[in-house]
Amino acid sequence: MEVQKFEISIKATAEKVWQVLWNDLTYRQWTTPFFVGSYAKSDWKQGSRIYFLSPDGRGMFSRILILETNKTMVLNI
């Protein structure tokens, strides 16, 4: 299995970045270039499923393998 790692420097607190990535409203905003109206649905707990859905409810799911709030989320895609 190929492992990919991406890094970028952002002038914001880890808490702010986390909120923008995973808050429902802001998630929908930043994912618009990929698919207008897409959203994520989860209870946001380690071991739980996360559903990446289109406006009509179709999409894919993954499992949250590691969740360290404001730091790391590793998904099994």
Side-chain angles (χ1 to χ4, degrees):
M1 175 174 72
E2 181 180 346
V3 175
Q4 295 182 344
K5 182 177 180 179
F6 302 91
E7 292 185 31
I8 189 168
S9 295
I10 300 172
K11 292 184 180 182
T13 64
E15 293 80 10
K16 177 64 178 174
V17 173
W18 190 269
Q19 186 272 333
V20 168
L21 286 174
W22 304 115
N23 173 273
D24 183 53
L25 176 63
T26 53
Y27 177 88
R28 291 172 189 252
Q29 291 171 343
W30 76 260
T31 58
T32 293
F34 306 106
F35 196 106
V36 175
S38 64
Y39 62 102
K41 191 173 181 181
S42 181
D43 66 5
W44 305 104
K45 296 178 182 175
Q46 187 167 313
S48 293
R49 284 187 174 181
I50 179 171
Y51 297 88
F52 299 99
L53 303 167
S54 65
D56 65 3
R58 292 185 292 162
M60 67 177 203
F61 73 90
S62 183
R63 188 159 310 276
I64 301 171
L65 297 179
I66 299 170
L67 178 65
E68 298 174 40
T69 303
N70 299 326
K71 186 177 178 184
T72 302
M73 187 174 327
V74 178
L75 306 176
N76 180 20
I77 296 179

